[in-house]
């Protein structure tokens, strides 16, 4: 591999410290790889982690703490959130208190052997909450700092990576220049290596410049670098010679760039994230994509940016900081502002184009045309739009924050609002909420009531997705008040439908049906056939859950016909899911299985994990009813995993309830009881009395043979939870449980 640094000695030292003579891991809980900027710490840690993966059968956790990034470093709380969700904790269940989150993390790792790699840490406070408490786990930390506190208090072992040995530094220079400069004097190469402080990043950049000028003697290149070094010596206080050497090489390489290449390099320092796409860079520089690609190729060739995929690039954090600094000092303020506005405008209009495919039924914001030089992407199909939304999700979220920091409140709220409708369907439910609040605050500062109403609506839906129903109701009611204030009847109808959905989710079925009926009438007056059909599906669900089967059947057929006539796949899949439940209860088992499969196929085609997870539960129910128990368990397991990733604890618990029912039918009562107990615990924490009661009912049935008294206690508790429900389905379940108590 061109420019590869082996560091064999350090790999051997790492293995020697971490293993005994038999090759088993020693009880070393924390290992710090410290070194100067560009010393190859990350590369070494990841290579060793790859080699050592068999020693950690329970997996590996990795986070880049971005301790030296120009933007905000990753906090310990943020890193814990990522780790805990990776370990299966629903996003909403991650404690907000740092100590509580750290305690949960340690308890989950207590019986596991996991390798944790904490890359690019700046401070001990970033690291310490991420340390497991068990000897079976190992933490490898990379940092430019020695993090001495970890050695003193936590018993960390340390490997300090300094400069490359002189022969390896010269070998790296030769590897990069191979085929371009074959006659260089070894002594001159040694001198060049010393001027680069024998640091891999600086060596690669210097070697690439030497390779780019094969006819220029090394004496001339070295003289240029010495001149640059003298300038840094005059400006430096001398505390960090290696950092000065890195800056020297950066500046030496940067000043050798043609003007347009240097300009795009510094402008890229304004990008909100370290990774970016070709078209975003073109908007930033106000150039054509072909010219931008040429300039980026020059930067890649100079090792000033790295190409990660076709038309995708990223900065090393040191180079990003350097580019940002150059933009601040060399680019006139008016040019910086214009470039940043172009970039944010590009993200706004490209997200708006993605909405055409991802959320085609949602109304678009009225946007002014893109600025000169801004050419947003147009997507040929649904998959292309989703691919972009997934790839640029972090940049889009950060763009909202960047807009506010730059004082562009209108762009900030517009980006937040458009992003809600252009989110990748697989995005975690909680991801958008923080920027939604940022956008709402920006709209309020501008007095934009329409924007406030839109963002309140989006926040209401966002909180529903993570089961925060109290917050969801609050935001939907505030939005409804704004729509009535503005006389906006269509958005008023949307809020009525959404309020109905929150009541449906909390099983306040009478209130839900009333909201849906009001919304249907309002959509009809607004001639909005799509949303009328969608709300009709919601009303059918309210009828079905209440046990009004005849009304549910009629409404389902009406909604199914409407969705198919509108070619609304998402709506068709949702009503097929409900139809499957109805068919299963009425004994039409083969039809129920087909309807569930048809719904799931639609979800898979849409790449929508939220719908896929929910509709998998219905498929599991149909498979279980048809005696396909192994298939049912697989469907429930997949549903649980998806909902855990999305932070939907309620639906994850519904999947575990389905697993419990399946194990009970397989005559495995202990396994059934375990899953019912897990489901009941989650629903109790969420305050969902209905689903808690159903889980307790299943738990009682599961433990009846082993502990009749416990079964009676679970049934009695379920009965008390169901006391306030008066619909036909609730009454039927209460009567059945009463009979079980009488005969149990």
């Amino acid at each position: 591999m061109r420019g590869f640094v082996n560091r064999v000695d350090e790999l051997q030292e790492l293995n020697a410290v971490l293993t005994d003579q038999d090759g088993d891991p020693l009880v070393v809980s924390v290992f710090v790889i410290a070194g100067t900027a560009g010393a190859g710490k990350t590369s070494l840690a990841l290579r060793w982690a790859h080699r050592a993966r068999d020693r950690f059968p329970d997996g590996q956790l990795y986070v880049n703490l971005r301790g030296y990034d120009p933007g905000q470093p990753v906090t310990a709380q943020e890193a814990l959130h990522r780790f805990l969700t990776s370990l299966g904790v629903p996003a909403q269940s991650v404690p907000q208190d740092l100590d509580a989150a750290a305690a949960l993390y340690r308890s989950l790792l207590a019986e596991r052997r996991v390798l944790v790699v904490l890359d690019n840490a700046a401070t001990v406070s970033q690291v310490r909450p991420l340390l497991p408490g068990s000897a079976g786990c190992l933490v490898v930390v990379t940092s430019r700092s020695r993090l001495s506190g970890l050695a003193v208090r936590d018993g960390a072992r340390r490997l300090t990576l300094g400069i490359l040995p002189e022969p390896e530094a010269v070998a790296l220079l030769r590897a990069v220049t191979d085929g371009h400069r074959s006659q260089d004097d070894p002594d001159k190469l040694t001198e060049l290596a010393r001027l680069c402080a024998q640091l891999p990043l600086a060596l690669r950049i210097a070697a690439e410049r030497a390779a780019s000028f094969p006819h220029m003697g090394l004496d001339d290149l070295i003289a240029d670098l010495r001149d640059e070094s003298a300038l840094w010596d005059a400006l430096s206080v001398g505390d960090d010679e290696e950092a000065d050497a890195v800056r020297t090489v950066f500046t030496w390489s940067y000043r050798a760039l043609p003007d347009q290449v240097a300009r795009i390099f510094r402008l890229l320092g304004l990008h909100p994230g370290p990774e970016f796409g070709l078209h975003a860079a073109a908007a930033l520089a106000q150039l054509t994509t072909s010219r931008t690609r040429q300039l980026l190729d020059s930067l890649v060739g100079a090792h000033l940016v790295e190409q990660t995929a076709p038309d995708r690039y990223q900065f090393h954090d040191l180079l990003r900081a350097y580019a940002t600094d150059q933009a601040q000092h060399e680019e006139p303020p008016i040019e910086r502002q214009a470039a940043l506005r172009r970039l944010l405008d590009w993200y706004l209009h490209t997200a708006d184009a993605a909405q055409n495919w991802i959320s085609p039924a949602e109304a678009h914001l009225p946007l002014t045309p893109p600025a000169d030089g801004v050419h947003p992407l147009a997507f040929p199909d649904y998959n292309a739009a989703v691919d972009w939304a997934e790839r640029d999700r972090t940049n889009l979220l950060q763009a909202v924050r960047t807009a506010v920091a730059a004082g562009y409140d209108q762009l900030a709220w517009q980006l937040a609002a458009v992003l809600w409708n252009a989110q990748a369907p697989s995005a975690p439910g909680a991801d958008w909420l923080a920027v939604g609040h940022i956008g709402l605050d920006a709209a309020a500062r501008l007095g934009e009531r329409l924007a406030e109403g839109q963002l309140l609506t989006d926040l209401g839906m966002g909180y529903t997705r993570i089961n925060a129903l109290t917050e969801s109701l609050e935001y939907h009611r505030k939005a409804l008040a704004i729509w009535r204030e503005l006389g906006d009847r269509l958005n008023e109808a949307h809020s009525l439908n959404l309020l109905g959905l929150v009541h449906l989710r909390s099983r306040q079925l009478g209130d839900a049906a009333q909201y849906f009926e009001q919304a249907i009438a309002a959509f009809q007056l607004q001639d909005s056939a799509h949303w009328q059909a969608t709300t009709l599906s919601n009303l059918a669900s309210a009828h079905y859950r209440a046990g009004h089967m005849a009304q549910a059947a009629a409404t389902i057929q009406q909604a199914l016909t409407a969705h198919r006539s509108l070619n609304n796949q998402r709506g068709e899949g949702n009503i097929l899911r409900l139809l499957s439940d109805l068919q299963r209860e009425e004994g039409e088992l083969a039809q129920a299985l087909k309807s569930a499969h048809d719904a799931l196929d639609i979800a898979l085609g849409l790449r929508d994990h939220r719908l896929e997870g929910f509709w998998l539960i219905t498929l599991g129910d149909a498979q279980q009813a048809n005696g396909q128990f192994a298939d049912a368990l697989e469907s429930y397991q997949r549903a649980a995993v998806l909902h855990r990733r999305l932070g939907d604890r309620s639906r994850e618990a519904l999947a575990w309830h389905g697993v419990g029912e399946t194990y009970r039918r397989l005559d495995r009562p202990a396994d059934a009881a375990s899953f019912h107990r897990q489901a009941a615990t989650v629903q109790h924490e969420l305050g969902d009395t209905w689903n808690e009661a159903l889980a307790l009912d299943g738990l009682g049935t599961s433990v009846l043979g082993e502990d009749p008294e416990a079964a009676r206690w679970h049934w009695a508790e379920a009965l008390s939870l169901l006391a306030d429900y008066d619909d036909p389905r609730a009454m039927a379940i209460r009567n059945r449980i009463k009979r079980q108590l009488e005969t149990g």
Side-chain angles (χ1 to χ4, degrees):
M1 180 177 178
R2 195 174 183 216
F4 177 65
V5 179
N6 201 2
R7 288 202 182 272
V8 174
D9 292 342
E10 284 85 353
L11 279 170
Q12 291 175 345
E13 183 177 348
L14 192 55
N15 279 323
V17 171
L18 295 176
T19 59
D20 61 21
Q21 292 180 345
D22 297 322
D24 293 325
L26 292 173
V27 184
V28 178
S29 58
V30 187
F31 197 91
V32 178
I33 303 177
T36 54
K41 303 174 293 298
T42 297
S43 175
L44 178 66
L46 294 181
R47 289 181 62 216
W48 185 86
H50 178 72
R51 292 186 180 187
R53 63 188 182 278
D54 292 340
R55 304 182 195 177
F56 301 95
D58 296 314
Q60 300 184 3
L61 296 171
Y62 171 86
V63 65
N64 183 350
L65 294 172
R66 299 197 180 281
Y68 298 90
D69 193 84
Q72 291 295 316
V74 175
T75 66
Q77 179 71 46
E78 291 169 329
L80 281 169
H81 191 282
R82 298 179 195 180
F83 282 172
L84 288 169
T85 54
S86 297
L87 292 167
V89 178
Q92 190 190 11
S93 298
V94 175
Q96 296 301 308
D97 178 73
L98 178 62
D99 292 338
L104 176 59
Y105 167 70
R106 292 182 183 119
S107 70
L108 290 174
L109 294 185
E111 303 300 326
R112 305 188 191 188
R113 292 180 65 178
V114 172
L115 174 63
V116 182
V117 179
L118 307 177
D119 191 18
N120 203 10
T123 64
V124 171
S125 63
Q126 272 186 302
V127 172
R128 186 164 283 132
L130 307 177
L131 302 181
S134 59
C137 294
L138 171 70
V139 181
V140 176
V141 185
T142 74
S143 179
R144 294 177 204 166
S145 167
R146 293 172 60 84
L147 302 180
S148 300
L150 293 179
V152 174
R153 286 186 50 187
D154 303 285
R157 302 287 292 271
R158 185 164 52 217
L159 171 64
T160 300
L161 294 187
I163 60 177
L164 284 176
E166 195 171 275
E168 287 193 30
V170 172
L172 174 56
L173 290 172
R174 284 203 181 278
V176 177
T177 59
D178 184 42
H180 299 275
R181 311 177 61 93
S182 57
Q183 304 300 321
D184 285 331
D185 185 329
D187 291 338
K188 297 296 183 185
L189 287 172
T190 300
E191 186 176 358
L192 180 59
R194 288 172 180 167
L195 283 170
C196 294
Q198 294 165 222
L199 292 166
L201 178 62
L203 286 163
R204 287 192 183 96
I205 293 172
E208 192 60 48
R209 184 171 174 195
S212 300
F213 296 94
H215 303 299
M216 181 181 289
L218 272 186
D219 283 335
D220 293 330
L221 290 168
I222 289 170
D224 282 351
L225 186 51
R226 282 194 179 281
D227 289 343
E228 202 65 64
S229 181
L231 173 62
W232 277 110
D233 287 343
L235 297 175
S236 171
V237 294
D239 292 334
D240 191 344
E241 293 180 4
E242 289 155 344
D244 285 344
V246 170
R247 288 193 295 269
T248 295
V249 173
F250 286 177
T251 305
W252 179 61
S253 183
Y254 169 71
R255 291 185 180 175
L257 296 174
D259 288 346
Q260 277 203 311
V261 180
R263 175 178 176 269
I264 198 170
F265 172 79
R266 61 180 178 263
L267 287 179
L268 287 168
L270 303 175
H271 189 272
E275 187 186 20
F276 52 90
L278 169 67
H279 294 83
L284 190 62
Q286 204 173 16
L287 297 170
T288 64
T289 53
S290 58
R291 180 57 178 152
T292 302
R293 184 182 282 109
Q294 290 175 341
L295 300 179
L296 289 172
D297 285 346
S298 296
L299 292 175
V300 171
H303 284 291
L304 294 177
V305 299
E306 177 186 359
Q307 186 165 7
T308 58
D311 293 343
R312 299 292 295 183
Y313 306 83
Q314 72 176 15
F315 267 124
H316 185 286
D317 61 352
L318 286 174
L319 285 162
R320 184 179 174 215
Y322 182 78
T324 303
D325 187 63
Q326 295 309 113
Q328 296 297 325
H329 287 90
E330 293 191 21
E331 203 69 22
I334 192 169
E335 294 295 329
R336 289 201 309 269
Q337 293 165 10
L340 183 58
R341 284 198 67 100
R342 285 194 302 271
L343 178 68
L344 296 175
D345 206 30
W346 183 86
Y347 274 118
L348 175 65
H349 284 274
T350 301
D352 186 62
Q355 180 186 326
N356 287 328
W357 292 99
I358 297 173
S359 302
E362 299 292 342
H364 285 261
L365 286 183
L367 302 175
T368 57
D372 290 342
V374 175
H375 304 286
L377 295 177
F379 301 100
D381 54 36
Y382 178 85
N383 283 323
V386 172
D387 286 343
W388 178 81
E390 289 176 345
R391 195 167 51 241
D392 271 276
R393 179 170 60 91
T394 300
N395 286 335
L396 287 162
L397 293 168
Q398 189 58 38
V400 181
R401 299 182 173 92
T402 299
V404 165
Y408 302 143
D409 278 344
Q410 183 171 15
L411 271 172
W413 79 253
Q414 288 177 333
L415 279 162
V418 171
L419 177 54
W420 170 259
N421 291 324
Q423 289 184 96
S426 59
D431 261 16
W432 178 87
L433 291 173
V435 300
H437 282 289
I438 291 172
L440 179 62
D441 291 343
R445 284 193 294 271
L446 295 172
E448 294 269 9
R449 296 292 280 165
L450 187 67
E452 288 183 72
Q454 184 62 62
L455 286 159
L456 285 166
T457 298
D458 296 341
L459 284 164
M461 289 188 283
Y463 279 110
T464 297
R465 290 185 182 180
I466 62 168
N467 303 298
L469 300 185
T470 299
E471 291 87 347
S472 180
L473 279 175
E474 175 189 352
Y475 287 108
H476 283 314
R477 285 170 177 157
K478 287 180 178 178
L480 180 61
I482 289 178
W483 303 136
R484 286 175 171 167
E485 169 195 324
L486 298 176
D488 188 330
R489 301 306 179 203
L490 181 59
N491 275 316
E492 180 181 347
H494 281 302
S495 286
L496 291 169
N497 176 45
L498 292 166
L499 283 164
L501 283 172
V502 179
H503 285 85
L504 180 66
R505 188 112 180 202
S506 57
R507 211 175 186 280
Q508 297 170 304
L509 301 179
D511 291 339
Q514 288 183 21
Y515 277 118
F516 293 143
E517 287 164 355
Q518 292 176 52
I520 289 168
F523 283 130
Q524 190 171 13
L525 287 173
Q526 296 298 317
D527 198 25
S528 181
H530 171 91
W531 291 110
Q532 186 179 347
T534 298
T535 312
L536 199 61
S537 296
N538 297 336
L539 180 60
S541 188
H543 289 325
Y544 170 76
R545 293 191 191 186
H548 299 304
M549 307 304 278
Q551 289 174 277
T555 312
I556 285 171
Q557 289 302 323
Q558 187 180 354
L560 182 59
T561 299
H563 286 303
R564 284 176 171 166
S565 70
L566 294 165
N567 195 29
N568 178 15
Q569 281 193 303
R570 193 181 302 265
E572 180 182 351
N574 187 51
I575 204 65
L576 284 170
R577 183 265 312 169
L578 190 57
L579 177 61
S580 174
D581 286 336
L582 181 70
Q583 291 167 331
R584 175 177 49 79
E585 284 204 35
E586 292 183 344
E588 300 171 1
L589 301 186
Q591 296 94 319
L593 192 60
K594 181 181 184 305
S595 296
H597 273 298
D598 289 347
L600 185 61
D601 286 345
I602 290 173
L604 292 171
L606 293 171
R607 295 167 58 180
D608 191 319
H609 288 177
R610 186 170 54 87
L611 298 180
E612 180 188 350
F614 190 31
W615 298 350
L616 273 167
I617 296 173
T618 295
L619 178 60
D621 293 343
Q623 289 166 330
Q624 184 189 153
N626 279 275
Q628 300 174 1
F629 300 126
D631 291 340
L633 289 173
E634 185 178 343
S635 295
Y636 292 134
Q637 173 67 22
R638 172 67 174 159
V641 169
L642 287 172
H643 285 126
R644 185 182 313 142
R645 289 179 187 168
L646 295 168
D648 194 330
R649 298 183 68 205
S650 175
R651 287 179 176 170
E652 183 185 359
L654 291 179
W656 294 140
H657 178 71
V659 173
E661 292 290 291
T662 307
Y663 277 135
R664 185 170 57 80
R665 295 188 65 178
L666 286 167
D667 197 26
R668 293 171 56 178
D671 290 327
S674 175
F675 281 98
H676 283 309
R677 189 174 289 111
Q678 186 175 345
T681 299
V682 171
Q683 302 294 11
H684 178 77
E685 291 172 357
L686 294 173
D688 188 336
T689 55
W690 173 263
N691 283 308
E692 182 186 356
L694 296 186
L696 288 170
D697 178 27
L699 180 57
T701 304
S702 300
V703 303
L704 178 62
E706 181 179 332
D707 191 344
E709 188 60 32
R712 291 179 59 82
W713 187 90
H714 292 312
W715 283 331
E717 185 67 17
L719 202 58
S720 67
L721 291 171
L722 294 171
D724 293 334
Y725 296 103
D726 58 1
D727 56 82
R729 187 179 297 279
M731 292 170 64
I733 294 174
R734 279 205 305 270
N735 289 335
R736 177 177 55 76
I737 294 175
K738 287 178 181 177
R739 289 194 299 272
Q740 290 171 169
L741 282 169
E742 291 168 359
T743 60

